[in-house]
Amino acid sequence: MIDLREHCIQLLANRGVSVADIADCAVYLQSAYFPNLKREDMVESVMDVLGKREVQYTIMTAIAIDKAADRGDIDDPILLNMLREDDGLYGVDEVLAYSICNVYGSIALTNFGYIDKDKFGIVGELNKKNPDGSYPGNHNTFLDDIVGAIAASAAARYAHSQEN
Amino acid sequence: MIDLREHCIQLLANRGVSVADIADCAVYLQSAYFPNLKREDMVESVMDVLGKREVQYTIMTAIAIDKAADRGDIDDPILLNMLREDDGLYGVDEVLAYSICNVYGSIALTNFGYIDKDKFGIVGELNKKNPDGSYPGNHNTFLDDIVGAIAASAAARYAHSQEN
Amino acid sequence: MIDLREHCIQLLANRGVSVADIADCAVYLQSAYFPNLKREDMVESVMDVLGKREVQYTIMTAIAIDKAADRGDIDDPILLNMLREDDGLYGVDEVLAYSICNVYGSIALTNFGYIDKDKFGIVGELNKKNPDGSYPGNHNTFLDDIVGAIAASAAARYAHSQEN
Amino acid sequence: MIDLREHCIQLLANRGVSVADIADCAVYLQSAYFPNLKREDMVESVMDVLGKREVQYTIMTAIAIDKAADRGDIDDPILLNMLREDDGLYGVDEVLAYSICNVYGSIALTNFGYIDKDKFGIVGELNKKNPDGSYPGNHNTFLDDIVGAIAASAAARYAHSQEN
């Protein structure tokens, strides 16, 4: 049987996102409560999040939509344009992100809202535009939110684990 | 400026779903409380749901994914297979449906859960499989949930409107 | 340290709900897919749901509100009246129920919507009214939804577990 | 018939929160996109949010729980203690907040996550503790999240309105 976690880690790597990148975002989200937290401490939580089937399906779907936007393989020109511009009022990307956070509860949702605006680390990298406002290479309309949600969920899982 | 509601009504029609079909599902969901409710009474609520931007973006995204699955324009073979089989544990379609219902509150979410299992009317039609278990023509992995969510939301809006 | 799962099982028992009652509802929700499923097969899933902190806090909060409504210890007369009547448009009870289901993904949400309308077993018992429309003894405005959500989540967990 | 919006504005005022306080938070959340936005421009959006029934019921429920915690009228000592300490892992308050944001879509949810961590204005005021870590006077476990959610939703409504 295929290891869907490995499949998702590969899909993320092909879009320029590593487990370490995500762990760094999760560490950042917890740094106020655990100042000495290190990337290594958070990798286990990131891997736990990536091991959840619901999360895996969401990652696969999000990246498939971004890649279809890259190729122009979306036959609704209005939607294709919104995806390529990352229209600020298009919220389906956040909807998928919330479905990841929901598995880890309300702390994960709050963490996501923060990093989505704060754009720390890889989340910010994935949002970088060219001087002319266009996006370099890949369209990451969905990916930046998914990565933020995985980090937010890993941070929430860590917070809960420290209490038990 | 493009009328996104008209655009979505056209996208739905091209997949075999009419506003009347959705209104019939909404009437069914309210029939226990309003026995004499008619399709005409519910059309306004369906149109109101179809007028919400968040709903329009979700419809456009859901149908674009189903059509990409029809064409095979999804370069992740594992995901493409799940979409074509409508894998019972793949839940991203319900996630998009819930994002529609959320706008109309908890009654809409409960209505959706009911019609999604009960498969009344067009929701059931969209789920019909061939004797061999394959799907005839279009893949409606996302569409059946989106249509159920629009009907569930229209029914919830009607219930609230009758109280005021 | 207090075992919050035991605390919640006791709180539920004091309101007339047993783990077996919840397991029976979960079995009912899965019976279409697993015809020979028995109560014993589902108890482990119910106990897993009751072991989640987010679920425990929700159960404690929901039952505390119902008991405050019983005692009249809610100083907003409009709210107290809605809680005692279980006003059909009051949706905060479903909101708490969804926060339980969210932990188990979209199948749990759909299951909840179904049993909340279908009112099988203990969920129906908790909804029983007197001939005059008043509620006998306890007000279970929140409890019926919480119990439905635990059963819906246990059923979803079982469905996922059978695939792995 | 009672004006539930006025009822909620009164309930908020009695806990030290004005419509202007909430409008200031909403202005803050939009200031990056609309630098010249003023409190007066946002009051209409705040009033729109306060006019939604689902929001009104949530405000009434949240404030009733905070007041019951003040009075000690919660007969579960474990829950009462968590409410009085505003336990960081107790997430039911955020769950109610999200049910408000959901009505206004994903932008509202992201806004909430940001202000919930950033604690601007009245949201921060409601979180102020005494030097000994105890809370002065009222327990606002639910209120701070509800106020943040109303502001986040009003800001999202404003953002959408500027596009149409």
Side-chain angles (χ1 to χ4, degrees):
Chain A
M1 184 192 165
I2 304 147
D3 179 338
L4 285 180
R5 172 156 57 188
E6 271 316 304
H7 178 62
C8 289
I9 290 173
Q10 195 53 58
L11 288 173
L12 289 164
N14 295 344
R15 303 293 284 188
V17 178
S18 70
V19 169
D21 294 328
I22 302 174
D24 289 342
C25 292
V27 166
Y28 170 73
L29 285 167
Q30 286 297 299
S31 51
Y33 317 103
F34 306 96
N36 303 322
L37 198 60
K38 292 188 185 29
R39 174 193 289 179
E40 312 81 83
D41 308 317
M42 199 55 87
V43 167
E44 181 204 345
S45 283
V46 174
M47 292 301 280
D48 181 83
V49 176
L50 293 174
K52 289 260 195 295
R53 184 199 307 259
E54 198 104 0
V55 174
Q56 292 160 348
Y57 290 171
T58 304
I59 293 170
M60 291 160 68
T61 306
I63 292 178
I65 298 171
D66 279 347
K67 287 164 111 177
D70 288 345
R71 298 190 311 268
D73 273 344
I74 288 170
D75 76 346
D76 179 339
I78 301 168
L79 176 63
L80 180 57
N81 185 57
M82 285 195 300
L83 293 176
R84 288 183 161 180
E85 308 273 305
D86 197 359
D87 180 324
L89 296 175
Y90 178 78
V92 180
D93 41 354
E94 279 91 2
V95 165
L96 290 203
Y98 288 123
S99 74
I100 291 175
C101 297
N102 274 327
V103 178
Y104 290 88
S106 48
I107 297 176
L109 282 150
T110 311
N111 286 343
F112 172 74
Y114 187 77
I115 201 161
D116 187 60
K117 266 187 176 294
D118 185 62
K119 307 217 179 294
F120 176 86
I122 185 71
V123 174
E125 288 302 312
L126 294 169
N127 271 281
K128 282 243 177 68
K129 296 185 184 186
N130 296 324
D132 68 355
S134 70
Y135 282 92
N138 297 340
H139 297 91
N140 297 319
T141 299
F142 279 81
L143 185 60
D144 62 332
D145 296 299
I146 295 303
V147 168
I150 299 167
S153 300
R157 180 183 179 277
Y158 185 85
H160 281 293
S161 68
Q162 295 312 295
E163 287 275 319
N164 293 331
Chain B
M1 186 192 165
I2 305 149
D3 179 337
L4 286 180
R5 173 158 56 188
E6 270 317 305
H7 178 62
C8 288
I9 290 172
Q10 196 51 59
L11 288 173
L12 289 164
N14 295 344
R15 303 293 285 188
V17 179
S18 70
V19 168
D21 294 327
I22 302 174
D24 289 343
C25 292
V27 166
Y28 170 74
L29 285 167
Q30 285 297 299
S31 51
Y33 317 104
F34 305 98
N36 304 321
L37 198 60
K38 290 186 188 30
R39 176 193 288 181
E40 311 81 84
D41 309 317
M42 199 55 88
V43 167
E44 182 204 345
S45 283
V46 174
M47 291 302 279
D48 180 82
V49 176
L50 293 174
K52 289 261 195 293
R53 183 200 307 259
E54 197 105 0
V55 175
Q56 292 160 349
Y57 290 171
T58 304
I59 293 169
M60 291 160 68
T61 306
I63 292 178
I65 298 171
D66 278 348
K67 287 164 109 178
D70 288 345
R71 299 190 310 268
D73 274 343
I74 288 170
D75 77 345
D76 179 339
I78 303 168
L79 177 62
L80 180 58
N81 185 56
M82 286 194 300
L83 293 176
R84 289 183 159 179
E85 307 273 304
D86 197 358
D87 179 325
L89 296 176
Y90 178 79
V92 181
D93 41 354
E94 279 92 2
V95 165
L96 290 203
Y98 289 123
S99 74
I100 292 175
C101 297
N102 274 327
V103 178
Y104 291 88
S106 49
I107 297 176
L109 282 149
T110 311
N111 285 342
F112 173 74
Y114 187 77
I115 202 161
D116 186 61
K117 267 186 175 295
D118 184 62
K119 306 216 180 297
F120 175 86
I122 185 71
V123 175
E125 287 303 312
L126 294 169
N127 271 280
K128 283 244 177 67
K129 296 184 183 187
N130 296 324
D132 67 358
S134 71
Y135 282 91
N138 296 339
H139 297 92
N140 296 319
T141 299
F142 279 81
L143 185 60
D144 61 332
D145 296 300
I146 295 303
V147 168
I150 299 167
S153 299
R157 178 182 179 278
Y158 185 86
H160 280 292
S161 68
Q162 294 312 294
E163 287 274 320
N164 292 331
Chain C
M1 185 190 166
I2 305 147
D3 179 338
L4 286 180
R5 173 156 57 186
E6 271 317 305
H7 178 62
C8 289
I9 290 172
Q10 195 53 58
L11 289 173
L12 289 164
N14 296 343
R15 303 294 283 188
V17 178
S18 69
V19 168
D21 293 328
I22 301 174
D24 289 343
C25 292
V27 166
Y28 170 73
L29 285 167
Q30 286 297 300
S31 51
Y33 317 103
F34 307 97
N36 303 322
L37 198 61
K38 292 187 185 29
R39 175 193 289 181
E40 310 82 83
D41 308 317
M42 199 55 88
V43 167
E44 182 204 345
S45 282
V46 173
M47 292 301 279
D48 180 82
V49 177
L50 293 173
K52 288 262 197 293
R53 182 199 308 257
E54 197 106 359
V55 175
Q56 293 160 350
Y57 289 172
T58 304
I59 293 169
M60 292 160 68
T61 306
I63 291 178
I65 298 171
D66 278 347
K67 288 165 111 178
D70 288 346
R71 298 190 310 269
D73 274 343
I74 288 170
D75 77 345
D76 179 338
I78 302 168
L79 176 63
L80 180 58
N81 184 57
M82 285 195 300
L83 293 175
R84 288 183 160 180
E85 308 273 307
D86 197 359
D87 180 324
L89 295 177
Y90 179 78
V92 181
D93 41 354
E94 279 92 3
V95 166
L96 290 203
Y98 288 123
S99 74
I100 292 175
C101 297
N102 274 328
V103 178
Y104 290 88
S106 48
I107 297 176
L109 283 150
T110 311
N111 286 342
F112 172 74
Y114 187 77
I115 201 161
D116 186 61
K117 266 187 176 295
D118 184 63
K119 305 217 179 298
F120 176 86
I122 184 71
V123 175
E125 288 303 313
L126 294 169
N127 272 281
K128 282 243 179 67
K129 295 184 183 186
N130 296 324
D132 67 357
S134 70
Y135 282 91
N138 297 339
H139 298 92
N140 296 320
T141 298
F142 279 80
L143 185 60
D144 61 332
D145 296 300
I146 296 302
V147 168
I150 299 168
S153 300
R157 178 182 179 277
Y158 186 85
H160 281 292
S161 68
Q162 295 312 295
E163 286 275 320
N164 293 332
Chain D
M1 185 193 165
I2 304 148
D3 179 336
L4 285 181
R5 171 156 57 188
E6 271 316 305
H7 178 61
C8 288
I9 289 172
Q10 196 52 60
L11 288 173
L12 288 164
N14 294 344
R15 303 292 285 186
V17 178
S18 69
V19 169
D21 294 328
I22 302 174
D24 289 342
C25 292
V27 166
Y28 170 72
L29 285 167
Q30 285 296 301
S31 51
Y33 317 103
F34 306 98
N36 304 322
L37 197 61
K38 290 186 187 30
R39 176 194 288 181
E40 311 82 83
D41 308 318
M42 199 56 87
V43 167
E44 182 203 345
S45 283
V46 174
M47 292 301 280
D48 180 82
V49 176
L50 294 173
K52 288 259 195 294
R53 184 199 307 260
E54 197 105 359
V55 175
Q56 293 160 348
Y57 290 172
T58 303
I59 293 170
M60 292 161 67
T61 307
I63 291 178
I65 298 171
D66 279 347
K67 287 164 109 178
D70 288 345
R71 298 191 310 269
D73 274 343
I74 287 170
D75 76 345
D76 180 338
I78 302 169
L79 176 63
L80 179 58
N81 185 57
M82 284 195 301
L83 293 175
R84 288 183 159 181
E85 309 272 304
D86 197 359
D87 180 324
L89 296 176
Y90 179 78
V92 181
D93 41 355
E94 279 92 4
V95 166
L96 291 203
Y98 288 122
S99 74
I100 292 175
C101 298
N102 274 327
V103 178
Y104 291 89
S106 48
I107 296 176
L109 283 149
T110 310
N111 285 343
F112 173 74
Y114 187 77
I115 201 160
D116 186 60
K117 266 186 176 292
D118 184 62
K119 306 217 179 297
F120 176 85
I122 185 70
V123 175
E125 288 302 312
L126 294 169
N127 272 282
K128 282 244 177 66
K129 297 184 182 185
N130 295 324
D132 68 355
S134 71
Y135 282 93
N138 297 338
H139 297 92
N140 297 319
T141 298
F142 279 81
L143 184 61
D144 62 332
D145 296 300
I146 295 303
V147 168
I150 298 167
S153 300
R157 179 182 178 277
Y158 185 86
H160 281 293
S161 69
Q162 295 312 294
E163 287 274 319
N164 292 331

